[in-house]
Amino acid sequence: MIPIARPQMGDEEKERVWEAMASGSLAQGPRVREFEERFAAEIGAGHAVATSSGTTALHLALLGYGVGTGDEVITVPFTFIASANSILYTGARPVFVDIDERDFTIDPARVEAAITERTKAIMPVSLYGQPADMEAIADIAERHGLAVVEDACQAHGAAIGDRRSGTWGAGTFSFYPTKNMTTGEGGMLTTDDGDLAERVRLLREHGMKVRYHHDIVGYNFRMTDIAAAIGLAQLPKLAGYNERRRAIAARYDAELRGVITPYVRPGVTHVYHQYTIRVNDRDAFAERLKERGVGSAIYYPIPVHRQKPFVALGYESSDVPVSDRLTEQVLSIPVHPALGDDEVDAVIAAVNRTAEELGPLAATEVAAR
Ligand SMILES: Cc1ncc(COP(=O)(O)O)c(C=O)c1O
């Protein structure tokens, strides 16, 4: 079976982890600091703060901007639940805005209508490795005096022109094993705002600048030096990993038939955390791919507003028809850099054969581009 993801660990990771373990610095230490500096330089952000996960990076970004009870944060329901959960953790309310049918990210044209006097921040999600339309979002945020938190957990190295994801407002990244680079578990917050970075550092460590002197109520959301050691070995490989993902995606774009392939906005660097197609009879499609030895996955089978905790909070009736429709159609196929060319051939053959058998999506299921 060709898996949907296959993390790559080499000698560099092994050596760096062993070196960290032998040093005795196991919790947050000099490797975390070095990883932060290198990651900030890679992204082109002024500051980077490492965290225990992408989820805690999101949580800290919101807290750092002062989001709390009574506030609203605009985001999308077509995402991993962590985006919306991080808003709930602060006591604020997520407000769901629909996505653009073409690129699966927040539709800027719908954002302004969702802004109220309680709105404090906008959290676009750069899903599957394509940056959300950050320029449009930053423009709206500036006009309304709102914070921007980009959920770039799937967008390491993605860019709009020369500007990378993670450089508008605050950006958050995840280093979960399936991501474009990993630390096992881990996350990072990036920003050009030095004051925000300072507040987030304090919140990450129980509000402590001087040992055992606590200025505010904070958390333990630290990354370990062992995780940072993996990250330091992975970071120099990120550009190569992303190149390989983009090369595989280019082959899929050119050779897949009978399915809707991803749309990339002009001037955008998509880093294909996922290569997500839209297909007819999606669940049968996935089953047939499996029979043909090709793994696939649905990201995500239930949009956030229909997940149980959000139904309980009254979100089920959210007016997000594009998210609801696309949830039924999306299927991600293997695009990870460990795929060999023969495996890419096999994925193409299996998808094309299945698409031929199941036919195209009905025109009524596809809005005009
Ligand atoms: C879009 C998105 N947001 C947030 C997260 C949360 O990251 P983590 O799993 O590292 O907490 C992830 C990753 O799983 C993600 O894909």
Side-chain angles (χ1 to χ4, degrees):
M1 179 72 70
I2 301 172
I4 184 74
R6 193 190 282 148
Q8 299 192 84
M9 289 287 124
D11 288 341
E12 300 86 356
E13 284 79 358
K14 210 161 110 185
E15 279 158 25
R16 279 191 181 265
V17 166
W18 175 242
E19 188 266 326
M21 287 167 71
S23 78
S25 176
L26 304 182
Q28 184 178 293
R31 287 160 200 82
V32 169
R33 192 68 225 160
E34 187 185 346
F35 184 37
E36 289 175 338
E37 280 164 13
R38 293 198 180 194
F39 194 82
E42 174 75 24
I43 297 301
H47 309 269
V49 183
T51 58
S52 51
S53 70
T55 305
T56 52
L58 281 166
H59 187 179
L60 288 183
L62 294 169
L63 292 176
Y65 277 127
V67 172
T69 305
D71 295 332
E72 292 176 355
V73 178
I74 293 172
T75 192
V76 288
F78 196 81
T79 181
F80 181 54
I81 199 163
S83 319
N85 275 353
S86 69
I87 299 167
L88 291 182
Y89 301 154
T90 67
R93 257 189 89 242
V95 172
F96 293 123
V97 163
D98 214 350
I99 54 169
D100 181 299
E101 163 120 26
R102 295 168 310 164
D103 70 6
F104 307 113
T105 70
I106 195 165
D107 183 351
R110 296 176 207 248
V111 170
E112 228 146 354
I115 296 174
T116 72
E117 68 223 9
R118 291 172 182 261
T119 309
K120 196 83 186 247
I122 310 175
M123 181 192 287
V125 180
S126 295
L127 200 74
Y128 303 149
Q130 170 150 236
D133 189 347
M134 296 307 299
E135 287 162 337
I137 297 300
D139 184 55
I140 295 168
E142 194 174 330
R143 274 191 281 115
H144 292 269
L146 306 175
V148 173
V149 175
E150 180 189 3
D151 182 340
C153 284
Q154 302 187 359
H156 318 63
I160 300 175
D162 291 334
R163 190 165 173 183
R164 294 248 169 134
S165 270
T167 59
W168 283 269
T172 62
F173 296 85
S174 164
F175 301 122
Y176 186 75
T178 55
K179 296 295 194 278
N180 291 36
M181 60 170 286
T182 185
T183 61
E185 293 273 10
M188 191 75 82
L189 181 150
T190 53
T191 185
D192 282 334
D193 180 341
D195 294 335
L196 176 71
E198 218 25 65
R199 287 195 296 278
V200 165
R201 285 184 196 285
L202 205 58
L203 285 161
R204 174 182 63 174
E205 267 198 272
H206 284 301
M208 182 171 81
K209 249 189 245 156
V210 178
R211 209 160 174 72
Y212 303 129
H213 293 247
H214 305 275
D215 300 335
I216 54 171
V217 176
Y219 301 82
N220 173 2
F221 286 166
R222 295 183 299 257
M223 177 181 277
T224 67
D225 251 26
I226 297 172
I230 303 174
L232 283 165
Q234 289 262 301
L235 189 58
K237 302 182 197 172
L238 176 64
Y241 287 160
N242 283 347
E243 252 341 287
R244 177 70 185 148
R245 285 178 184 270
R246 287 165 53 76
I248 296 167
R251 282 205 55 198
Y252 289 162
D253 288 345
E255 297 177 48
L256 294 183
R257 303 275 175 265
V259 299
I260 300 178
T261 53
Y263 170 78
V264 183
R265 299 196 315 278
V268 159
T269 303
H270 192 320
V271 292
Y272 294 99
H273 170 58
Q274 299 297 343
Y275 189 95
T276 302
I277 57 179
R278 291 167 59 190
V279 302
N280 186 28
D281 205 351
R282 193 263 319 278
D283 294 351
F285 204 109
E287 203 42 51
R288 290 198 195 185
L289 286 186
K290 191 167 151 201
E291 285 160 19
R292 297 189 160 119
V294 173
S296 64
I298 301 162
Y299 302 111
Y300 294 89
I302 305 173
V304 177
H305 65 293
R306 296 189 185 281
Q307 299 282 357
K308 281 181 194 159
F310 287 84
V311 170
L313 290 170
Y315 281 98
E316 204 175 8
S317 58
S318 301
D319 181 24
V320 286
V322 181
S323 298
D324 278 328
R325 182 152 41 86
L326 265 51
T327 296
E328 304 292 323
Q329 302 176 356
V330 289
L331 189 65
S332 298
I333 56 175
V335 72
H336 54 82
L339 288 176
D341 289 342
D342 52 335
E343 291 178 306
V344 175
D345 293 340
V347 172
I348 293 168
V351 169
N352 286 349
R353 178 93 195 275
T354 307
E356 220 175 276
E357 289 166 2
L358 295 178
L361 268 172
T364 49
E365 294 292 325
V366 183
R369 280 196 177 165

